[in-house]
Amino acid sequence: MAKFGLAALAVVAALVLSFSASSSTPTAHAEVDSSVAIWCGFLASRIDGDPADATTAGDFGAACDGLTEAEIALISGANTDIGDEDGVLEAGELDDLDLDANQVTIAPNNPATNHSTIYIIAFVDDDGLTTFDAQSGVSVVVSEDGGVDEAAPAADADPETCTGDNDEDCGTTDPTNGDGVVVALITATTATDGAAVVVDVDQESVGDSQTLDIVGVAFSVEVTLVETTIQSDAATTCAAGTDPEVTDDGALSDAESTIAIAVVTDNDDRALTRITSPITSDETDVAEVGDQTGATVDAGDSGIAAFAVICGGDDSGTANITADIGADDDSAEITVVGPPATITLTAAPAQIACDGSQTSTVTATIVDSAGNNVANGTDVTFSVVALGTANPINTTTTDGTASSTITPLSGAAAGVTVIVSAGDASASTRVDCSLPIPTVVAPGATPTSDVGVTPPDTGTGGYLGQDSSAGFPLWTLVALALGSFALVAGGMVTRRAGR
């Protein structure tokens, strides 16, 4: 299976359980620098210097029958992602692979799984007798030049001592001999599940220790999905190399795939590491399972669980994703929806002052052709026509929606148009610019004279103080009429006198 990055694997493990791999804290000593307990299977894809494969018959067998000095150089060599890949295995360089919680299973040993076998690798910086002393319940076999010493007892709780006959790092007086690595192979024999077995590693009374967790055989399995809804994808197949990227917050980088995680427990409900669990889909046209499923190498580097990549198939619908360990099985339902078909937009508020500071949030609700919300992680793009910005421009959906903050930069236009696209679907809306409120200027006060002289009161233009707007008074009209009559009468008297 295509490798996940270590950061992504940490997220996968965190989604399953709250515990992480346990190992003793390295302590600097004059002789034994530190030690690590690690399952031999984690070295299977690196034992031959080719991390691209891990064959059951060859690589697992070679990795789990003891480590020679030449094999140690190979597993820490180029392209194996261990340490600085210089062919020299040093303290701390196996920490990223030490993800098995130091579990040892009380089960028959075999080259394919070796769940009952674990290595304790000691890093020494001085020549001298090196002793591995374990509590009862496990056997300790010290390597002969890194390989299994066939003369050693098959099961012995007594201390096992590495001498110069076993490894050049032990029992000699020349500190330049050997590679600084001493290996012991620990196998569960009579220990009961739930026990914690301590193994002390000493060289000249200075040493380190490892606590091994004895667990039972696989009893039950539970499968979970990182995302329960994904998008159909007829264009691609779910092959190695199409793995979704798991981000630090547990989200997936694309809408067309997700991860199925199978957690296997023993009969005391202890989560087991390294257990292979085949993962299948009952509707392959709806949901397709990745090429290599339930793998534990290198998929097992995630530590707690087996997992598989699940991709959307050609059709929409639902499918059951099942993990099966033989003794138990479990399923989780996945929903596969179609690609984006319709986008509905809302702007809140719909009208703002377009002064470069006020904003409106445009929210897109995106559904497929059947009206289902699109899958989480669907890519959405927001763009603004005319003077304005969108933040973010590119985002993804959550529960079928995505939003962006729109900031119009000029009030000269009636508004800014926002265009939203997802897949082949697109829609637009407008954030309107509100018109500025006109400023009302209060009328000024009547100017006053600074001379200090009050002009005469001329009245309002009426006759004898009467208001001209009311017209002439009646008595004035009568006087005028009498005057006119007098003039006419006078004229007549004058004409008679002239006769």
Side-chain angles (χ1 to χ4, degrees):
M1 187 173 212
K3 294 183 182 177
F4 280 73
L6 290 173
L9 293 174
V11 174
V12 172
L15 291 167
V16 182
L17 294 172
S18 60
F19 71 90
S20 60
S22 61
S23 62
S24 298
T25 301
T27 304
H29 297 294
E31 284 77 28
V32 178
D33 285 337
S34 64
S35 63
V36 63
I38 187 169
W39 177 48
C40 58
F42 283 152
L43 307 177
S45 64
R46 301 164 176 88
I47 193 70
D48 59 357
D50 180 9
D53 70 341
T55 61
T56 297
D59 294 341
F60 271 94
C64 296
D65 67 354
L67 296 176
T68 67
E69 188 169 324
E71 289 172 334
I72 291 172
L74 281 173
I75 66 174
S76 57
N79 303 318
T80 61
D81 69 10
I82 294 179
D84 52 14
E85 302 179 5
D86 62 351
V88 178
L89 189 62
E90 297 173 316
E93 291 189 337
L94 292 175
D95 289 351
D96 287 341
L97 292 183
D98 186 21
L99 300 169
D100 57 4
N102 288 4
Q103 289 186 0
V104 180
T105 306
I106 49 172
N109 203 12
N110 64 76
T113 56
N114 285 282
H115 296 149
S116 61
T117 298
I118 196 168
Y119 282 135
I120 292 184
I121 301 175
F123 298 91
V124 298
D125 62 1
D126 193 10
D127 290 324
L129 300 179
T130 302
T131 300
F132 296 84
D133 187 5
Q135 296 173 327
S136 61
V138 300
S139 70
V140 180
V141 177
V142 178
S143 297
E144 179 181 5
D145 189 25
V148 172
D149 183 358
E150 298 298 342
D156 187 0
D158 295 332
E160 293 294 330
T161 299
C162 169
T163 66
D165 293 335
N166 305 125
D167 192 300
E168 291 183 343
D169 292 290
C170 306
T172 66
T173 57
D174 186 353
T176 62
N177 288 339
D179 57 1
V181 180
V182 181
V183 181
L185 201 141
I186 314 296
T187 303
T189 53
T190 61
T192 58
D193 58 333
V197 177
V198 177
V199 180
D200 294 317
V201 186
D202 295 285
Q203 188 183 70
E204 298 182 357
S205 300
V206 181
D208 198 12
S209 66
Q210 293 289 331
T211 299
L212 307 181
D213 184 16
I214 309 301
V215 297
V217 297
F219 178 76
S220 65
V221 62
E222 180 179 1
V223 63
T224 58
L225 300 169
V226 175
E227 294 284 355
T228 57
T229 300
I230 60 176
Q231 181 181 306
S232 60
D233 186 6
T236 62
T237 58
C238 198
T242 62
D243 300 349
E245 176 186 355
V246 183
T247 60
D248 290 340
D249 59 0
L252 295 182
S253 61
D254 62 69
E256 294 83 15
S257 57
T258 187
I259 299 171
I261 303 170
V263 178
V264 181
T265 56
D266 65 9
N267 59 354
D268 288 322
D269 204 29
R270 284 185 292 265
L272 304 179
T273 65
R274 313 181 304 254
I275 304 298
T276 299
S277 176
I279 297 174
T280 59
S281 169
D282 66 347
E283 296 288 346
T284 55
D285 289 340
V286 174
E288 185 180 0
V289 182
D291 286 350
Q292 299 179 26
T293 63
T296 59
V297 180
D298 292 305
D301 291 356
S302 62
I304 307 304
F307 60 85
V309 176
I310 310 298
C311 300
D314 296 345
D315 302 331
S316 300
T318 60
N320 290 313
I321 305 301
T322 300
D324 190 345
I325 60 171
D328 188 34
D329 62 76
D330 186 45
S331 298
E333 186 177 83
I334 189 168
T335 299
V336 179
V337 297
T342 303
I343 302 176
T344 303
L345 302 176
T346 58
Q351 186 179 74
I352 60 174
C354 299
D355 56 4
S357 62
Q358 293 196 26
T359 62
S360 177
T361 299
V362 172
T363 299
T365 300
I366 308 171
V367 297
D368 66 4
S369 59
N372 302 308
N373 286 344
V374 295
N376 290 349
T378 299
D379 293 327
V380 183
T381 300
F382 290 80
S383 61
V384 177
V385 179
L387 293 176
T389 63
N391 184 27
I393 296 174
N394 299 309
T395 186
T396 58
T397 56
T398 300
D399 296 330
T401 66
S403 298
S404 184
T405 299
I406 307 302
T407 306
L409 301 179
S410 172
V416 293
T417 299
V418 181
I419 300 175
V420 181
S421 60
D424 294 332
S426 64
S428 65
T429 189
R430 194 175 77 170
V431 176
D432 291 327
C433 295
S434 57
L435 296 176
I437 300 174
T439 303
V440 178
V441 180
T446 303
T448 58
S449 173
D450 294 332
V451 178
V453 178
T454 301
D457 186 1
T458 59
T460 59
Y463 181 78
L464 297 179
Q466 301 296 321
D467 191 343
S468 63
S469 64
F472 280 72
L474 181 60
W475 65 266
T476 302
L477 296 174
V478 172
L480 290 173
L482 291 175
S484 299
F485 177 77
L487 290 174
V488 172
M492 294 177 61
V493 171
T494 302
R495 286 196 297 269
R496 287 181 179 176
R499 290 179 179 175

